[in-house]
Amino acid sequence: MKMDVQDSMVPVPFRIEKVRRELSDTFTMELKPEAGGAFRFQAGQFNMLYVFGVGEVPISISGDPGESGVLVHTTRAVGAVTRAMGQLEVGETIGVRGPFGKPWPVEQAFGSDLVIVAGGVGLAPLRPAIYQALANRDKFGKLVVLYGARTADDILFRKELERWRGRFDVEVKVTVDRATDRWAGNVGVVTNLVARGGFDPMHTTALVCGPEIMMRFAAQALVKRGVSPASVYVSMERNMKCGVGFCGHCQWGPHFVCRNGPVFTWEEASPLLAVREL
Amino acid sequence: MVQIDDLSRIIDEHPFAHGMDDTLRALIVGCAANERYDAGQYILREGGRADKFFLIRAGAVALEIASPSGAIMVETLSDGDLLGWSWLSDPPVWTFDARATQLTRVISFDANCLRRKMDADPALGYEVLRRFLPIMAHRIHAARIQMLDLYGPGPRR
Ligand SMILES: Cc1cc2nc3c(=O)[nH]c(=O)nc-3n(C[C@H](O)[C@H](O)[C@H](O)COP(=O)(O)OP(=O)(O)OC[C@H]3O[C@@H](n4cnc5c(N)ncnc54)[C@H](O)[C@@H]3O)c2cc1C
Ligand code: FES
């Protein structure tokens, strides 16, 4: 499915094929266009999802970019629209505009180590990049996935993380902020995992997604280890309306996050993050 | 029995010692010993006298605080980390339990031995503190971020 600019303002009806409850407040939907056809996107892009009669929100695509038959989104219910989305059931319709935004630079990272640093639901926008990296595993040096969650019960895509960790060619490290009795893994912030390394900083591309504060400290930790700020990428979130660079709602300094982002290099993002209230 | 030369080489491989000059290394090696802890074994206990610190060579260590409902794990440390700086405070008393969660090999340093050398040679004292301070600052910073409950419910962070 490919849209021109005019079309890009009109939501296309998609049928909800599957809903999976991932965590107490987070769910994954699998969608198919009601009119049939495929949906192509690049890892890191997002769609505007319209819950009819309630509102529209930007949500990253969390599925496999190599699989165009189904569109996958993972959403945390935090407010009016995302909660209403969480109430939708299989067979119901949701409006989709997209895909929008600049993707993760997975192909540009070929030839270097790829370090993925995710926090909380931030693993969802990074999962397509992990799928893409795994599909091209021989084109990278080390592939390292570092993930931080609140508790062991809040680990998103747990089975997949375990599966990836079981491979001999991926290093997966998970840490939680608060340990419960059953947890025997790492405790502490995800930046600690960055500090412990396991990659060659001089030849590393890092993709970081999570709460803004976490991204800030993770990017700083990567740079401190010697990764170039131009090789660290973060995915920014700002409130959006049009999603295509018309309305200015998502303006962030000189950028429109929907069009110039959401993926920015740390070189671009860090001076703006240093400006309060931007 | 581990020889001084072997200890010196092992210490050299640890991030704590990167860039350390030979005189300083020779001084601290004299206070060092090789130790191993099995999974479940306590390396130090809250309230105990802090007369050592440790460089973790390999393994995993949980820092815990005892509570009426059981131990609460506040942080884990592993290969390349430094464990214990209470020996620098007054009175030198451990403020956490540290338990090996798997077979863990460490280099331990006798704090009394090191303190004596640091008192006698302030330049050495300064050098040791200079290596501890960034690690302490990093841990405090990390603990503060951990306290923010970044992934918890509530407004966007
Ligand atoms: C490019 C982009 C990609 C995104 N991808 C995803 C994704 O894959 N999955 C996902 O769950 N969300 C994602 N988001 C965030 C999502 O768009 C917002 O959570 C959503 O717009 C909130 O709308 P609402 O009407 O449900 O809540 P609102 O009524 O707008 O907000 C209700 C409360 O939730 C808080 N809140 C709003 N946004 C967030 C947030 N992002 N995180 C935590 N608290 C928040 C507000 O501060 C407020 O307290 C993305 C945002 C952008 C810009
Ligand atoms: S959301 Fe309208 S310009 Fe970005």
Side-chain angles (χ1 to χ4, degrees):
Chain A
M1 178 168 292
K2 202 160 167 43
M3 295 178 185
D4 62 29
V5 176
Q6 260 172 345
D7 284 347
S8 67
M9 293 309 291
V10 182
V12 175
F14 274 59
R15 182 180 188 276
I16 301 174
E17 297 287 323
K18 249 190 214 165
V19 178
R20 196 173 35 256
R21 303 283 147 202
E22 305 279 3
L23 308 170
S24 61
D25 58 358
T26 305
F27 55 94
T28 294
M29 293 185 308
E30 291 188 13
L31 313 171
K32 283 195 173 157
E34 289 191 342
F39 186 95
R40 290 183 212 292
F41 72 100
Q42 292 173 274
Q45 288 191 298
F46 67 94
N47 281 319
M48 296 300 294
L49 296 187
Y50 184 31
V51 182
F52 293 107
V54 186
E56 200 182 35
V57 287
I59 302 290
S60 300
I61 303 165
S62 66
D64 185 346
E67 164 66 69
S68 60
V70 63
L71 170 62
V72 184
H73 283 286
T74 301
T75 306
R76 183 177 186 196
V78 296
V81 180
T82 47
R83 281 203 192 107
M85 199 186 291
Q87 302 297 313
L88 296 177
E89 290 175 6
V90 170
E92 290 193 86
T93 300
I94 190 164
V96 176
R97 291 194 295 122
F100 299 134
K102 234 171 66 187
W104 296 114
V106 179
E107 284 182 12
Q108 285 108 286
F110 284 174
S112 67
D113 290 356
L114 185 66
V115 178
I116 309 267
V117 189
V121 78
L123 183 58
L126 278 167
R127 189 169 66 165
I130 299 174
Y131 287 143
Q132 194 181 346
L134 291 173
N136 294 279
R137 183 62 194 89
D138 54 337
K139 300 201 174 74
F140 294 99
K142 290 196 175 130
L143 177 55
V144 180
V145 178
L146 309 176
Y147 178 55
R150 188 177 191 222
T151 70
D153 293 334
D154 300 302
I155 295 173
L156 189 62
F157 307 143
R158 189 178 185 136
K159 287 218 168 75
E160 264 182 313
L161 282 165
E162 283 169 0
R163 207 164 48 240
W164 296 332
R165 192 166 58 182
R167 295 175 55 131
F168 293 115
D169 56 357
V170 186
E171 191 177 339
V172 177
K173 287 187 190 158
V174 177
T175 185
V176 299
D177 279 353
R178 283 164 184 62
T180 43
D181 293 348
R182 289 163 292 118
W183 179 248
N186 295 307
V187 181
V189 288
V190 72
T191 47
N192 288 348
L193 301 181
V194 174
R196 286 184 192 140
F199 50 89
D200 173 3
M202 303 301 284
H203 301 101
T204 285
T205 299
L207 315 181
V208 184
C209 190
E212 197 166 297
I213 299 176
M214 168 257 157
M215 290 199 287
R216 221 160 68 212
F217 292 127
Q220 285 166 3
L222 285 157
V223 171
K224 198 169 164 196
R225 272 204 73 80
V227 183
S228 156
S231 301
V232 176
Y233 294 81
V234 295
S235 183
M236 296 304 301
E237 284 190 10
R238 286 294 178 268
N239 290 338
M240 291 184 181
K241 273 261 186 290
C242 71
V244 287
F246 288 162
C247 70
H249 224 79
C250 65
Q251 184 164 10
W252 185 48
H255 305 295
F256 287 165
V257 172
C258 66
R259 201 178 51 194
N260 308 119
V263 173
F264 292 92
T265 65
W266 184 239
E267 202 170 33
E268 294 165 321
S270 61
L272 294 172
L273 285 172
V275 182
R276 305 279 182 270
E277 316 294 341
L278 200 60
Chain B
M1 183 73 189
V2 180
Q3 302 299 313
I4 290 284
D5 279 356
D6 293 336
L7 263 181
S8 181
R9 188 180 42 73
I10 294 168
I11 292 170
D12 234 13
E13 284 165 7
H14 197 280
F16 177 76
H18 285 172
M20 193 178 271
D21 75 30
D22 293 347
T23 333
L24 174 58
R25 194 180 326 98
L27 278 168
I28 70 166
V29 165
C31 302
N34 223 344
E35 293 183 14
R36 62 163 271 173
Y37 293 86
D38 290 323
Q41 209 178 343
Y42 282 92
I43 302 174
L44 51 95
R45 300 300 294 251
E46 181 183 339
R49 195 171 165 78
D51 50 10
K52 281 185 181 179
F53 78 91
F54 307 85
L55 304 182
I56 302 174
R57 293 176 56 203
V61 176
L63 298 188
E64 297 174 338
I65 295 187
S67 84
S69 56
I72 300 170
M73 204 191 285
V74 290
E75 197 182 358
T76 49
L77 302 176
S78 63
D79 310 13
D81 286 332
L82 179 148
L83 166 65
W85 58 66
S86 297
W87 67 281
L88 286 165
S89 60
D90 192 18
V93 173
W94 297 124
T95 51
F96 291 108
D97 291 340
R99 183 173 55 84
T101 56
Q102 51 179 257
L103 171 66
T104 298
R105 295 178 194 282
V106 298
I107 300 286
S108 73
F109 290 85
D110 177 339
N112 292 326
C113 163
L114 199 58
R115 236 185 262 116
R116 267 196 309 276
K117 292 187 183 186
M118 288 166 69
D119 287 344
D121 180 352
L124 166 74
Y126 171 73
E127 190 53 36
V128 171
L129 287 180
R130 210 170 62 85
R131 283 170 186 275
F132 264 84
L133 274 173
I135 297 169
M136 292 163 80
H138 170 82
R139 294 270 181 79
I140 290 167
H141 181 59
R144 285 182 180 147
I145 307 176
Q146 206 172 332
M147 271 165 48
L148 291 177
D149 196 15
L150 287 183
Y151 314 121
R156 183 188 303 188
R157 271 162 286 202

